[in-house]
């Protein structure tokens, strides 16, 4: 089945329904008697709630109920929690402020939910929400993470003095200080990683249905991990016991991390359904998404890199303040710590590394993992400081990197990670060849004749994904295990169902997971179906984030396929009166190697279920399950080269060439991998050139619509030149690494390195808008 097996460019099975408008999203779900919800949200960034007057709203047409936070608390619904415990360097636990799904006495950001209105139609619910009168006592707000640490700043949570959540460190401070004292050269930079809004295509939505007869809840939701949602809603939020709660994440239109978390809306809809006796559906408007979907990034850092006299890196020192917004979202604490500082070695041998990270509360939208989650922030620091060091030392950025590359694997970094495999020279060579790097100066002078400033920049990234093993993340504070589950059911006619705990929301699992089966059993992909996203169908799984579906989810499927294959061969050997060691599976048949004796796949399956003629003592049926807990992270790596042309008159930047050379290990479907890289690079270029969430001093989000928040469009992006080099991952059976986040991790520093090279001014922050670039040219 070479046409449909591993490594084939198979067109995505799921696309037919999506491009013909036949996808089924949460907003498409309709249940009898369903009503609609709208939330009353705070217009202030920081205020005390004095009084909520619902009289006018309740009198409006179609209104069924207006419910508030005090009622929610009285029913025992719990606070929203952060599921990863981080301890400060003094040993004290992080300072987690209370987050009630509906605010009870204080609102802490614009968009904080205060009440839910349930009405017959969506329009009636919205109108009534506007008629709810909330009187507030407005307090001073703090927006900037550095200012939040000032003792005179407004206090956001009583649990967190000076708005400090934790003060954490990783690495050997003494070794770093000693290396800096001996250094021949030190490069020091202040770096800001700009705040981003995730902007998944489909806004978040929830439909909560309480069935009184069964005393059972069903929640349809836009989630990347429905099983985790069910676990958290039952164990921590007291919505319902786990066996009385079904969570379904149907087709989901993109997530990028923003749909991992359990938000106030889904659990409030479930609670409101029980309270009102009707199913309750809520769908976000786009501005609600801007205001309430967890934002990403938002770091302010100082980074210093030390070299000896031969330009070898000797030490790296990082100090970071990370803004977590008004409340701690589900995984927020892990992003600027174990997903960030652990990658600060990059692709380089750096003997001593130390990072200090302080996280703070501000009166802004909560911040959590967004495509790359900590790894892009680390990569941006490392790759900007390495490029800057090359300029200061007067050496080629490529040569400085190559000289300091890690060449031998496995390699233990000073910051926890043990890189298991890689070939950084190979991706650098591939990228430089594709970008015609050697002849760049010719292109620079040609551009100069046209009055344009041309620049080139590179970025060599490494990331850790498929986070694991569970015991290791548990010891670092994770509240859950990060394994994955799979069940393979072979039906009596030979068709195959794969039940997976991974969730597909654009990744193409229905195609790639089916390719595994086609490759293994030689059955057509059409006869393989993938079941996911429903806690009633799949017993337990951990979902999709952190580029884990391949390395972790597919590995679980492989383990289950191994068990199915073993039993299928036993059945075939019995039917063919042969030795099971001689049975091979080819082209949909089980045959005796080297003979023409064979039994078709479907006939073997039928034999398993009729059970008329099975080996003695064998149980009927053919289905097997597996749980897979990885032994290590996977470490995708690569080299990105960006070439730009800047118009000195206007500061506008055109990306004239973008080259990506990635090492993703063995590849299941090259077309899907390329698509993931394209999407990631588009988001990374978006961050570097265009995107940024901005608040005014009072805490109003100024970029709360597509009029004001600049998303990348097709004409901002070049045609990408993407390729791969391969070192197989030794820690999983397929040898694969994650690919979904790489593009967003490696691209921003390449773009900024290119622009700063073009304009000969290194002082440029993201997003590098034409206004900023124009000013930087003037001050160069």
């Amino acid at each position: 089945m070479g046409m449909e097996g591993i490594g084939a460019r198979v067109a995505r099975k799921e696309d037919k329904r999506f491009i013909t408008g036949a996808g089924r999203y949460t907003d498409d779900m309709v249940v009898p008697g369903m009503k609609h919800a709208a939330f009353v949200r705070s217009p202030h960034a920081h205020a005390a709630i004095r009084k909520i007057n619902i009289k006018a709203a309740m009198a409006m047409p179609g209104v069924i109920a207006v419910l508030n936070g005090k009622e929610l608390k009285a029913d025992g619904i719990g606070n929203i929690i952060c599921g990863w415990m981080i301890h400060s360097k003094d040993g004290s636990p992080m300072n987690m402020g209370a987050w009630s799904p509906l605010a009870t006495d204080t609102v802490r950001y614009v968009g904080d939910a205060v009440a839910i209105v349930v009405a017959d139609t969506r329009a009636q619910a919205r109108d009534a929400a506007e008629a709810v009168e909330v009187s507030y006592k407005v307090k001073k707000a703090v927006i900037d993470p550095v200012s939040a640490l000032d003792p005179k700043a407004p206090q956001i949570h009583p649990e967190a003095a000076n708005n400090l959540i934790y003060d954490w460190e990783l690495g050997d401070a003494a070794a770093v200080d000693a290396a800096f004292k001996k250094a021949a050269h030190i490069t020091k930079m202040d770096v800001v990683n700009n705040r981003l809004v995730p902007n998944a295509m489909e806004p978040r939505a929830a439909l909560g249905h309480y069935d009184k007869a069964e005393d059972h809840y069903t929640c349809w939701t836009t989630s990347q991990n429905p099983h985790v949602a069910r676990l958290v809603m039952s164990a921590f939020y007291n919505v319902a016991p786990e066996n009385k709660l079904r969570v379904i994440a149907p087709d989901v239109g993109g997530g990028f991390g923003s749909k991992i978390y359990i938000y106030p809306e889904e659990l409030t809809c479930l609670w409101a359904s029980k309270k009102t006796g009707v199913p309750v559906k809520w769908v976000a408007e786009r501005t609600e998404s801007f205001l309430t979907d967890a934002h990403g990034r938002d770091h302010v850092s100082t980074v210093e890199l030390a070299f000896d006299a031969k330009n070898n890196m000797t030490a790296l020192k990082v100090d970071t303040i990370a803004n977590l917004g008004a409340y701690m979202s589900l995984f927020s604490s892990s992003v600027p710590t174990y997903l960030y500082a652990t990658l600060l070695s990059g692709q380089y041998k750096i003997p001593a590394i130390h990072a200090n990270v302080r996280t703070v509360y501000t009166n802004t939208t909560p911040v959590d993992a967004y495509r790359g989650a900590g790894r892009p922030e680390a990569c941006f620091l490392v790759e900007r400081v390495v490029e800057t060091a090359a300029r200061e030392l007067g050496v080629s950025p490529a040569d400085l990197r190559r000289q300091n590359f890690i060449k031998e694997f496995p390699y233990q970094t000073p910051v926890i990670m043990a890189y298991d495999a890689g070939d950084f020279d190979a991706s650098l060579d591939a990228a430089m060849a594709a970008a015609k790097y050697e002849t760049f100066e010719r292109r620079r002078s040609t551009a100069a004749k046209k009055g344009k400033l041309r620049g080139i920049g590179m970025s060599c990234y490494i990331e850790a994904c498929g986070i694991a093993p569970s015991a290791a993340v548990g010891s670092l504070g994770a509240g859950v295990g990060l394994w994955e589950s799979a069940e393979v059911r072979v039906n009596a006619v030979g068709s195959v169902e794969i039940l997976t705990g991974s969730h597909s929301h654009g990744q193409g699992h229905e195609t790639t997971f089916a390719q595994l089966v086609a490759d293994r059993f030689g059955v057509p992909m059409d006869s393989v179906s993938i079941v996911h996203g429903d806690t009633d169908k799949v017993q337990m799984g951990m979902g999709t984030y952190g580029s884990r579906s391949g390395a972790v989810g597919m590995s679980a499927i492989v383990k289950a396929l191994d068990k199915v294959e073993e039993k299928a061969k036993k059945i075939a050997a019995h039917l063919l009166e042969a030795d099971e060691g001689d049975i091979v599976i080819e082209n949909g048949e089980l045959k005796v190697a080297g003979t023409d004796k064979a039994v078709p796949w479907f006939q073997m399956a039928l034999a398993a279920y009729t059970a008329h003629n099975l080996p003695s003592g064998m149980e009927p049926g053919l289905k097997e399950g597996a749980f897979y807990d990885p032994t290590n992270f996977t470490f995708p790596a690569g080299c990105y080269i960006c070439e730009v042309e800047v118009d000195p008159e206007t500061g506008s930047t055109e990306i004239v060439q973008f080259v990506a050379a990635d090492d993703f290990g063995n590849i299941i479907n090259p077309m899907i991998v390329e698509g993931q890289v394209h999407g990631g690079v588009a988001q990374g270029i978006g961050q570097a050139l265009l995107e940024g969430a901005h608040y005014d001093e009072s805490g109003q989000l100024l970029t709360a619509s597509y009029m004001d928040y600049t998303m990348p469009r097709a004409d901002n992006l070049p045609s990408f030149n993407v390729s791969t080099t391969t070192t197989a991952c030794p820690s999983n059976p397929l040898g694969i690494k994650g690919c979904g986040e790489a593009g967003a991790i490696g691209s921003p520093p390449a773009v900024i390195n290119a622009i700063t090279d073009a304009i000969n001014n290194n002082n440029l922050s993201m997003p590098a808008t034409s206004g900023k670039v124009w000013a930087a040219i003037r001050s160069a």
Side-chain angles (χ1 to χ4, degrees), residues 157 262 362 640 714 723 742 746:
H157 287 280
I262 293 79
T362 59
Y640 291 180
S723 65

Side-chain angles (χ1 to χ4, degrees), residues 29 41 104 168 191 403 436 540 571 573 598 654:
M29 301 303 160
R41 298 187 183 278
T104 52
W168 175 90
V191 176
Q403 175 181 336
K436 303 189 172 58
M540 184 64 185
I571 296 169
E654 184 194 351

